[in-house]
Amino acid sequence: MRSLRALRPFAHREYRVLISALAISIFGSGMWAVAMVYEVIHLGGGPLELSLVAAAGSVGLVAFVLAGGIAADRFPQRLLIIAVEGANLAVIAVISGLALLGWLQLWHLALGGFVLGVGAAFFFPAYSAILPRILPPEDLLAANGMEGTMRPMLQQAAGPAVAGILVAALSPAHAVTGVAVCHLLAFSILNLLHHQPRTDSGEGREAVSGEPAKTSVLHDLREGVSYTVRTPWLLWTLLWACISVLFLIGPIEVLLPFVVRDQLGGDARMFGFLLAIAGVGGAAASLATASFPLPRRYLSVMMVGWGAGSLPLAAVGIIDSFWALAAALFIFGATGGMGMVIWGTLLQRRVPAHLLGRVSSLDFFVSLALMPVSMALAGPAAEVLPIWLIFLVAGTVCPVMAAVAMAVARMPADELAHPLDHGQVDSLADAQAPGPAPSPSSAPADASGPGRPGQKQRGVT
């Protein structure tokens, strides 16, 4: 019965089109993660060069994500999504052609990664905004769980595994060509989406006639930032995410391939399968979490899971066993997947509908702001510090900061004051005063009420 509930969104034609294209696109993104690494190595690059190329995509994402959130509120989301996928196709096709001809240079990869990052900045707010238009409110949670299950399986598991095989059997250029094919298929499918009517989304942001709300960009940003800053559970979770990105993303994205090569004697296939194991852990945990009601202590479970899941990474720099490293990455992926399903549901249930798009883009911006810094620092740090010390610090800082965030934001008291079981919705209470408990008479949200769920996604397409 729980599995049937998770499949309910597939009854809607527009969702089937959108999720099919998304599945193919993120599969291609998983291939790109491995193909890009070994293309850099093929061109003679090391940790420093890989840091610069990987950081370029993060810079594009962080620099434009706030603009992407505003654009999703002001322009048709369908057109934004199709345009982004078309740009992805063009960029990867050019890189593929240059690689096959032997003309590819490192700056081509960096520029391409930057454009892909900009595309992701516009894609995810538009994706979040279009879901409530194509699905009834009661199916949004299932869609969130399905995306949380699908992304690790395809972007972190199947895509990297296939790319690793292509790199080992043929070349990195052939893996990049496979990425281009994926984006071509996704672009073609997205063009089957129907135009979505513009409807009232609350607080006067959009008139029923379809005309954009008469508000300035600065006003929109200020309103979203104000809500985030005065809501402790939201603010401190984002601060924790910012710190965890700084300490974890660079070592995982930049240094882990060299751990596999130097400590395990592995190649692209081993690196790809290790990422796949982390993805399988995330997918399994996401599906399991989405199939049961939220725990009463939802904030505590989320933060403890994320913090504890980072601890095994402290030993990555000294592990010389494939299975030990695989176990560490599986735990990291599983706890990450569990936390993301809870986090996505939490935003849907507690953030007012008229602020959800802006809060989602702020979530991306704040939690990913230090991603390019992390990637840019990982390579130089490995030149002066042993890799085992870098992973030791990364794996211990995150649990400590999770405990600090829980204490400062008083999360254990907050989650009891704002229960999310039995269909209660706390959006109005949070919008008016984040601290007090909601009234017991709070009514469940409907399709037009302020508690109407939205959708928040993470990751890079």
Side-chain angles (χ1 to χ4, degrees), residues 29-75:
S29 297
M31 292 184 64
W32 170 254
V34 172
M36 180 271 292
V37 168
Y38 286 95
E39 193 65 75
V40 170
I41 295 175
H42 177 73
L43 294 175
L48 179 60
E49 290 76 15
L50 183 55
S51 287
L52 295 176
V53 172
S58 301
V59 169
L61 172 62
V62 173
F64 285 88
V65 70
L66 294 180
I70 296 172
D73 286 339
R74 294 173 176 250
F75 300 101

Side-chain angles (χ1 to χ4, degrees), residues 240 302-313 331-332 335 395 398-400 402:
W240 175 87
M302 179 181 72
M303 295 303 296
V304 170
W306 277 339
S310 303
L311 277 173
L313 297 183
I331 293 172
F332 180 72
T335 53
C398 293
V400 171

Side-chain angles (χ1 to χ4, degrees), residues 233-269:
W233 66 265
L234 179 58
L235 174 64
W236 280 93
T237 302
L238 294 184
L239 290 177
W240 175 87
C242 197
I243 293 172
S244 69
V245 165
L246 175 63
F247 281 90
L248 289 177
I249 294 298
I252 292 174
E253 295 287 340
V254 176
L255 302 182
L256 187 59
F258 298 96
V259 169
V260 171
R261 185 189 69 182
D262 299 336
Q263 294 176 202
L264 304 183
D267 58 8
R269 283 173 292 189

Side-chain angles (χ1 to χ4, degrees), residues 197-354:
R198 303 290 289 181
T199 57
D200 184 13
S201 57
E203 291 290 311
R205 289 195 47 77
E206 188 176 281
V208 176
S209 63
E211 297 181 359
K214 306 296 184 180
T215 57
S216 68
V217 171
L218 183 59
H219 173 273
D220 290 349
L221 278 177
R222 187 163 51 239
E223 190 178 15
V225 170
S226 175
Y227 174 81
T228 301
V229 170
R230 65 189 179 89
T231 307
W233 66 265
L234 179 58
L235 174 64
W236 280 93
T237 302
L238 294 184
L239 290 177
W240 175 87
C242 197
I243 293 172
S244 69
V245 165
L246 175 63
F247 281 90
L248 289 177
I249 294 298
I252 292 174
E253 295 287 340
V254 176
L255 302 182
L256 187 59
F258 298 96
V259 169
V260 171
R261 185 189 69 182
D262 299 336
Q263 294 176 202
L264 304 183
D267 58 8
R269 283 173 292 189
M270 181 179 289
F271 176 63
F273 280 116
L274 283 170
L275 293 183
I277 289 171
V280 169
S286 295
L287 183 60
T289 305
S291 300
F292 291 91
L294 280 175
R296 188 184 183 204
R297 295 279 190 174
Y298 52 87
L299 287 169
S300 298
V301 171
M302 179 181 72
M303 295 303 296
V304 170
W306 277 339
S310 303
L311 277 173
L313 297 183
V316 165
I318 59 174
I319 289 177
D320 58 3
S321 164
F322 170 83
W323 293 111
L325 183 55
L329 292 175
F330 181 88
I331 293 172
F332 180 72
T335 53
M338 175 200 67
M340 284 310 307
V341 172
I342 295 175
W343 176 246
T345 305
L346 181 56
L347 289 186
Q348 296 167 3
R349 299 285 295 275
R350 293 191 61 174
V351 175
H354 72 281

Side-chain angles (χ1 to χ4, degrees), residues 350 413-414 416-419 426 429-430 433-440 442:
R350 293 191 61 174
D414 184 278
L416 293 181
H418 300 85
D426 299 280
D430 280 359
S439 167
S442 298

